[in-house]
Amino acid sequence: MKSKKLLSVLLAAAVVSTVALTGCGGSSSATSAADKDQHLNVEVPASDVKTLDPSKGSDGYSAYILQETMEALGRNEVKNGKQVMTAAGAKSWSQSSDGLTWTFKLRDNKWSDGKPVTADQYVYALKRSLDAKTASEYAYLLIGAGIKNADDVNHGKMSTDQLGVSAPDSKTLVISLSHPCAYFEKLLSFKFFIPQREDMVEKAGSKYGSAANTLVYNGPFKMTSMVSGNKLELVKNDQYWDKKSVKLDKVTMYFMDDANTMMNSLQSGQIDVADTSKPEWTNRLKKTGKFNNITGDVPVDSYIAFNNQDKNKLLTNAKIRKAISLAINREDYLKTIGHGLGKVSYAWVPEAVQLGNDTYRDKASVSLKDSKEDPKELFKQGLKELGMDTDLSKVVLTDEEAGTDEKHKQEGDYFINQFKKTLGITLKVDYKEWKQFLQDEEDLNYEMQSGEMWSADYDDPMTFMDMWETDAAKTTNGYSNKEYDSLIEAAKVEKDQSKRLDEFKKAEDILINKDASIAPTYSQGMNIFAYKYVKGLQTPAFAASGSRNVEFKYAYISGKNK
C-alpha cells in the first residue's frame, strides 16, 4: 500500500521494542511506583499536520496522533518481545473458509462524548474513505485489499451502498472481499478502520479534522487543543474501553521541525522522548546516563521522487531518471546526511519487511548496484531522445526539499555538489514547508523531491509496491506502467508466497531499473532516547503511525524527580 509520507527531519523508531516494559498494559509492581504527576511530553518533528481526518490524512504525523486518540479494529502492540495485531475496537474476528468474508465482533466502547461506538460507524468510515467525492489518497489500499466493489465505488460507477461492508447489528461488522487477501489482517490498525461519526463530519464540513473540537475520540486519549506550529494537548479518555491500562493523565505533543531545537528540548527536560541521527547528540545524550537508548532497523526507506509527468519534460525520460539515480553515491549520502544510521538502499523494499516467514530482501536479488551504465552518457541519451541539447552544462533541474531547517539545507547543498560533480548539471533547490511540500506533491507541481521517506503500514512487500500503481501514483509522482500494475494486481490475489516473490521481484526491477520512477537511497535506522523515568513505552515496527512508532498507551512516569 501507499505508505505514510514523512518529513525527513530525523530518523525515527520502528523496530519491536519497549522501554522498561511492564507487560503491555497489565498491572505490575513497577506501575505501583508511578509518580503522582502523569504528564508525558513528546515531539512531532514537523511544523504542523495537514489534517486529522482519517479518510484524508496522508502523512505519518497525523497517523501518529490518531494512533493515540482513536481505536481502529486492531492495534499493533509488543507482547513477549514480539509484535502482534491485538484486538482493539473489535474484540474478535473470523474469516470464512474461502477467505472472502470477515466478521468482526465489536467491544463495548464509547466516544469521548459518551455516545456508543457502533458497527454502522465503521461502515460509514469505510464508505466515506472510498467515496469518490472524498478524494482520499489512500483509497487504493482498500481497493487492493479486495473489498467488494471498492474500485467501482471509488470511481463513481457504483454508489457507496454497494460497497462490501455491512452492519447486521450494532456490534457486528461484516466486510466482504472479491478475492482473498493474504495480508488483510495486517491492515486492521490502519486509519481507514477507525470508526467515524457522521454527525461530526457533517457538522464540521470542510474543517473536519482541522481542530480538536471537530472530532470525537474513541482511543486512549482525547485531544483538548491543537495549535498549529505550537503543540497539541491530549488527556486520558475516561470513556475508553481499556482506560484501566492507561496510566498517563496528559500528553503534550510539541511541533518541532528543527532537529537542534528538538534535542535541546530533550536535554533541558522540556520533552521526555525524542530521536536523533546526529552522532554528536548521540554521544552527548549517552554520556549523561539519564536516557534509555533504543536502536535498530526500521521499515522506512528514503528516496528521491521524480515527477514522471514533469511539465519541463526532462524527468519524463526514464534514462534521465536512472542517470540521476546512478549518480548518487549512496554510501557517502548515508554517511553525510543520514549520519551512518541505517543501510544503503540499492532496491526499494527495505530489509525489515517480511514475505511470509522470510525476509523479502534475502529472497529478492533486485539491485541498482549491478548496473554498468555510465550516468553521464545515460543522461545524454535521454536528452537526445527528448530532442534536447546534449550539453550537460546547460541542464538546470529544480529539487524540492521538505523543510527549511538546517538538515534540509545541508541535503540541498549535498545534491547540488553531487550532481555537478557526477553529472555536470546545475541543480537549484526550493525549500518548502511540510504542508506545501505535500500539496506540491499532490498537484505534481515539482521536478524532483529529495529526502522523501516512506514508511510501511504493515509487514508485507505490498506496503511498498502498490503505492506505485497508476491510480495510486497519480498524486505522488505520476508514474504509470501497465506491466507493473499487472504484476502487483497478481500479487494481491496470489496465496503462494513463492509466486508472489517472483511477481514482486519483476515489478521492483521495472520500478527502479527499467523505468527508474524513483531513486531509493537508504533504509532508516532508529536511535531513540527516552528518559529512564519513562516506563512502558512501546515501539512496534508496523504501528499505525509509520516511523513515528512511539506508542504511549501503556507508558507512565516513575521517578522523574529523583
Side-chain angles (χ1 to χ4, degrees):
M1 59 167 276
K2 183 177 180 181
S3 296
K4 294 170 283 284
K5 181 72 66 182
L6 298 165
L7 176 65
S8 57
V9 170
L10 51 110
L11 307 182
V15 298
V16 176
S17 55
T18 59
V19 178
L21 179 65
T22 62
C24 295
S27 60
S28 73
S29 58
T31 56
S32 65
D35 292 358
K36 183 177 180 180
D37 183 13
Q38 288 296 311
H39 181 189
L40 182 70
N41 296 284
V42 298
E43 41 73 34
V44 179
S47 58
D48 204 353
V49 290
K50 189 175 180 181
T51 179
L52 293 179
D53 181 343
S55 292
K56 293 184 177 181
S58 61
D59 65 318
Y61 309 119
S62 62
Y64 178 34
I65 298 161
L66 289 172
Q67 172 180 266
E68 304 305 329
T69 58
M70 299 294 188
E71 191 85 315
L73 291 171
R75 180 178 282 269
N76 282 291
E77 294 184 354
V78 179
K79 291 189 175 182
N80 299 318
K82 294 183 179 180
Q83 177 176 294
V84 294
M85 179 66 71
T86 61
K91 62 182 180 181
S92 65
W93 54 80
S94 60
Q95 66 178 122
S96 58
S97 57
D98 60 6
L100 298 180
T101 304
W102 288 73
T103 302
F104 299 86
K105 295 296 181 180
L106 304 185
R107 293 187 187 279
D108 290 329
N109 196 16
K110 291 182 180 180
W111 293 98
S112 51
D113 64 0
K115 293 184 178 181
V117 176
T118 57
D120 63 294
Q121 294 160 355
Y122 286 91
V123 170
Y124 172 72
L126 289 164
K127 287 182 175 179
R128 180 171 178 264
S129 296
L130 276 164
D131 192 328
K133 291 181 289 187
T134 302
S136 171
E137 289 186 45
Y138 276 95
Y140 70 88
L141 179 146
L142 298 177
I143 296 171
I147 295 183
K148 189 175 180 180
N149 296 330
D151 196 7
D152 285 336
V153 168
N154 188 241
H155 287 87
K157 297 177 182 179
M158 287 185 177
S159 72
T160 57
D161 290 337
Q162 293 174 282
L163 186 65
V165 292
S166 61
D169 58 62
S170 65
K171 294 298 180 184
T172 306
L173 171 69
V174 178
I175 300 178
S176 300
L177 307 184
S178 58
H179 61 75
C181 178
Y183 55 90
F184 190 77
E185 186 174 81
K186 296 180 179 182
L187 301 176
L188 299 182
S189 62
F190 191 70
K191 59 191 172 185
F192 280 169
F193 295 97
I194 293 171
Q196 294 182 43
R197 286 259 297 275
E198 186 173 4
D199 61 325
M200 296 299 295
V201 175
E202 291 184 348
K203 179 181 178 181
S206 61
K207 294 183 179 180
Y208 181 66
S210 64
N213 62 3
T214 66
L215 296 162
V216 283
Y217 309 92
N218 72 325
F221 301 92
K222 60 183 179 181
M223 190 186 310
T224 56
S225 68
M226 178 169 65
V227 181
S228 179
N230 187 4
K231 63 183 179 181
L232 303 97
E233 296 282 2
L234 310 183
V235 298
K236 181 176 178 177
N237 182 2
D238 61 4
Q239 299 291 329
Y240 181 51
W241 72 270
D242 195 25
K243 62 183 179 182
K244 70 180 187 305
S245 295
V246 181
K247 309 301 179 186
L248 294 170
D249 293 319
K250 184 178 180 180
V251 179
T252 301
M253 307 179 79
Y254 293 94
F255 288 114
M256 294 182 177
D257 62 351
D258 180 78
N260 286 326
T261 298
M262 191 185 308
M263 288 297 101
N264 284 319
S265 297
L266 179 66
Q267 192 172 39
S268 69
Q270 180 187 359
I271 58 176
D272 304 307
V273 183
D275 49 356
T276 182
S277 63
K278 292 188 173 182
E280 60 267 33
W281 275 109
T282 296
N283 294 333
R284 190 182 306 178
L285 294 172
K286 282 183 175 180
K287 286 179 181 179
T288 67
K290 296 178 179 180
F291 299 93
N292 287 313
N293 181 206
I294 313 168
T295 61
D297 294 331
V298 301
V300 179
D301 250 351
S302 290
Y303 70 101
I304 294 177
F306 302 126
N307 185 348
N308 287 225
Q309 296 180 18
D310 178 18
K311 61 186 178 183
N312 296 322
K313 301 300 181 184
L314 278 173
L315 293 177
T316 63
N317 185 272
K319 289 182 179 177
I320 290 176
R321 296 194 298 263
K322 188 169 185 181
I324 296 171
S325 181
L326 294 177
I328 301 168
N329 183 328
R330 286 164 170 79
E331 285 76 10
D332 185 58
Y333 178 66
L334 173 59
K335 180 180 178 180
T336 305
I337 303 302
H339 305 288
L341 188 61
K343 298 177 180 177
V344 294
S345 293
Y346 285 96
W348 175 229
V349 181
E351 292 187 17
V353 176
Q354 302 287 113
L355 177 67
N357 296 320
D358 299 311
T359 299
Y360 172 74
R361 279 269 68 91
D362 289 344
K363 299 290 183 179
S365 56
V366 180
S367 176
L368 281 162
K369 202 169 186 178
D370 299 331
S371 177
K372 305 300 181 185
E373 296 163 296
D374 177 75
K376 282 188 176 181
E377 289 305 312
L378 202 56
F379 205 116
K380 289 179 182 179
Q381 291 173 26
L383 290 171
K384 187 175 182 179
E385 288 178 358
L386 292 171
M388 296 180 176
D389 191 334
T390 58
D391 184 349
L392 294 177
S393 67
K394 296 180 180 179
V395 174
V396 179
L397 274 177
T398 300
D399 170 46
E400 190 170 282
E401 283 278 345
T404 60
D405 65 308
E406 176 192 352
K407 173 177 170 35
H408 288 93
K409 288 179 179 177
Q410 180 188 21
E411 185 171 54
D413 288 343
Y414 181 87
F415 281 126
I416 288 172
N417 294 326
Q418 176 89 157
F419 295 140
K420 174 64 73 174
K421 176 182 177 181
T422 58
L423 292 172
I425 66 172
T426 297
L427 185 74
K428 294 184 177 180
V429 182
D430 193 1
Y431 301 94
K432 294 290 183 71
E433 293 293 346
W434 181 236
K435 272 189 174 181
Q436 188 58 53
F437 182 87
L438 290 177
Q439 192 61 55
D440 286 348
E441 178 195 51
E442 186 176 338
D443 297 338
L444 295 182
N445 184 31
Y446 68 93
E447 282 193 302
M448 285 171 46
Q449 287 187 327
S450 66
E452 296 253 29
M453 294 164 61
W454 224 264
S455 168
D457 288 308
Y458 53 93
D459 195 5
D460 187 89
M462 189 63 74
T463 192
F464 281 91
M465 299 300 286
D466 68 352
M467 60 184 285
W468 302 115
E469 285 188 277
T470 299
D471 280 350
K474 64 186 177 184
T475 54
T476 300
N477 74 339
Y479 177 59
S480 180
N481 182 302
K482 290 183 179 179
E483 183 183 2
Y484 183 90
D485 292 351
S486 179
L487 287 164
I488 299 306
E489 288 300 304
K492 288 176 182 177
V493 301
E494 180 59 61
K495 292 182 179 180
D496 187 324
Q497 296 291 18
S498 63
K499 292 180 180 179
R500 294 184 79 223
L501 172 64
D502 187 55
E503 289 155 352
F504 281 137
K505 285 169 58 179
K506 290 177 180 177
E508 191 174 25
D509 188 56
I510 291 171
L511 180 71
I512 65 168
N513 274 314
K514 179 182 176 183
D515 290 346
S517 172
I518 58 170
T521 54
Y522 65 93
S523 60
Q524 304 292 297
M526 87 163 167
N527 195 35
I528 255 190
F529 286 88
Y531 276 99
K532 290 182 177 180
Y533 57 73
V534 179
K535 313 293 184 179
L537 199 69
Q538 293 196 359
T539 57
F542 296 88
S545 58
S547 76
R548 300 304 306 151
N549 280 16
V550 180
E551 162 67 72
F552 39 84
K553 173 182 173 179
Y554 302 116
Y556 65 98
I557 307 297
S558 179
K560 182 173 182 177
N561 297 319
K562 290 182 180 180

